[in-house]
Amino acid sequence: MVALVLKDPGGAGEQVVETLARAAWVCADKGYHPTTMRDLSAASGMSLAGMYYYVRGKEDLLALIQERCFTQVLEGARQAVATASDPQERLQSFIRHHVSFFAHHMAEMKVLSHEASPRGVSAIKRHYVDLLESILKEAAPEQSAVDRSAATYILFGMMNWIYNWYDPAGHIDPARLADLMASIFLGGFVETHQEAK
């Protein structure tokens, strides 16, 4: 993966962030595979030659979009759960952070949900999945590892699918949506098992 000017001493970092956001929007709108470098150049306002100065092609842009998003969401989740006082609060904090982050990055979310990740990004994703599984282990320690793993992906499916129907400017704000998801998930996965003891 190429390092796209994020470390550029000339201060191009903000332009890079904007370029990645616009590239994600184009890929989400048109689909990654039909999107061309010319499409990405036009959307970013950068010349085609300028785009190729920073990346070898759209595969590099996809990798950078994914790397940036997964790094941000992982670090934010770690911070969100760090101050929670008990496992259920940690789970609620994780869900709130995830839903809020993706509600504000809907184009990136669609791209992340549909495209395979390069090896370096897969490692970041694995840390993110492991974080949620560790929270579920604390919240429902009697559940088997297999069930916790399945529950992890069920919860991610619930949260990640919102790009398909959710409108952040609609009647329900991201915080309320996250609370509903936490309530449904906690009532289904955690409470049901505890009541059966």
Side-chain angles (χ1 to χ4, degrees):
M1 181 187 330
V2 67
L4 179 80
V5 215
L6 291 172
K7 307 183 250 194
D8 180 55
E14 286 182 28
Q15 180 183 0
V16 169
V17 170
E18 181 64 23
T19 298
L20 293 178
R22 289 182 183 190
W25 184 86
V26 173
C27 290
D29 186 53
K30 290 188 72 164
Y32 171 72
H33 295 288
T35 297
T36 66
M37 284 296 284
R38 288 192 187 283
D39 297 328
L40 298 169
S41 169
S44 70
M46 188 183 291
S47 71
L48 193 57
M51 294 287 282
Y52 279 113
Y53 175 77
Y54 295 124
V55 295
R56 290 180 301 243
K58 68 179 184 175
E59 296 80 13
D60 282 349
L61 275 174
L62 175 65
L64 288 165
I65 291 165
Q66 291 183 332
E67 180 181 38
R68 179 174 174 267
C69 282
F70 278 116
T71 299
Q72 286 181 328
V73 78
L74 174 60
E75 184 54 36
R78 286 175 173 158
Q79 292 174 12
V81 303
T83 58
S85 60
D86 63 62
Q88 288 199 10
E89 187 181 334
R90 282 169 49 89
L91 184 57
Q92 288 172 318
S93 296
F94 184 97
I95 294 169
R96 281 190 200 110
H97 170 72
H98 185 95
V99 171
S100 175
F101 181 87
F102 280 111
H104 292 96
H105 299 87
M106 295 291 273
E108 290 93 331
M109 181 180 185
K110 186 173 183 179
V111 173
L112 296 177
S113 297
H114 285 281
E115 301 304 328
S117 300
R119 184 175 298 148
V121 176
S122 294
I124 300 168
K125 285 171 69 173
R126 184 71 250 169
H127 290 304
Y128 193 53
V129 170
D130 289 346
L131 175 60
L132 180 53
E133 281 197 49
S134 71
I135 294 168
L136 290 180
K137 185 174 184 178
E138 294 174 4
E142 295 83 8
Q143 293 278 15
S144 71
V146 171
D147 285 353
R148 278 196 304 272
S149 181
T152 296
Y153 288 104
I154 289 167
L155 180 54
F156 276 130
M158 185 188 327
M159 294 187 295
N160 291 347
W161 194 249
I162 66 170
Y163 80 81
N164 212 23
W165 60 269
Y166 179 61
D167 178 5
H171 295 294
I172 185 166
D173 63 42
R176 179 67 187 132
L177 178 62
D179 287 344
L180 282 170
M181 287 184 178
S183 176
I184 291 166
F185 188 80
L186 285 166
F189 183 71
V190 177
E191 294 297 331
T192 302
H193 186 78
Q194 289 179 350
E195 288 170 5
K197 289 193 286 184

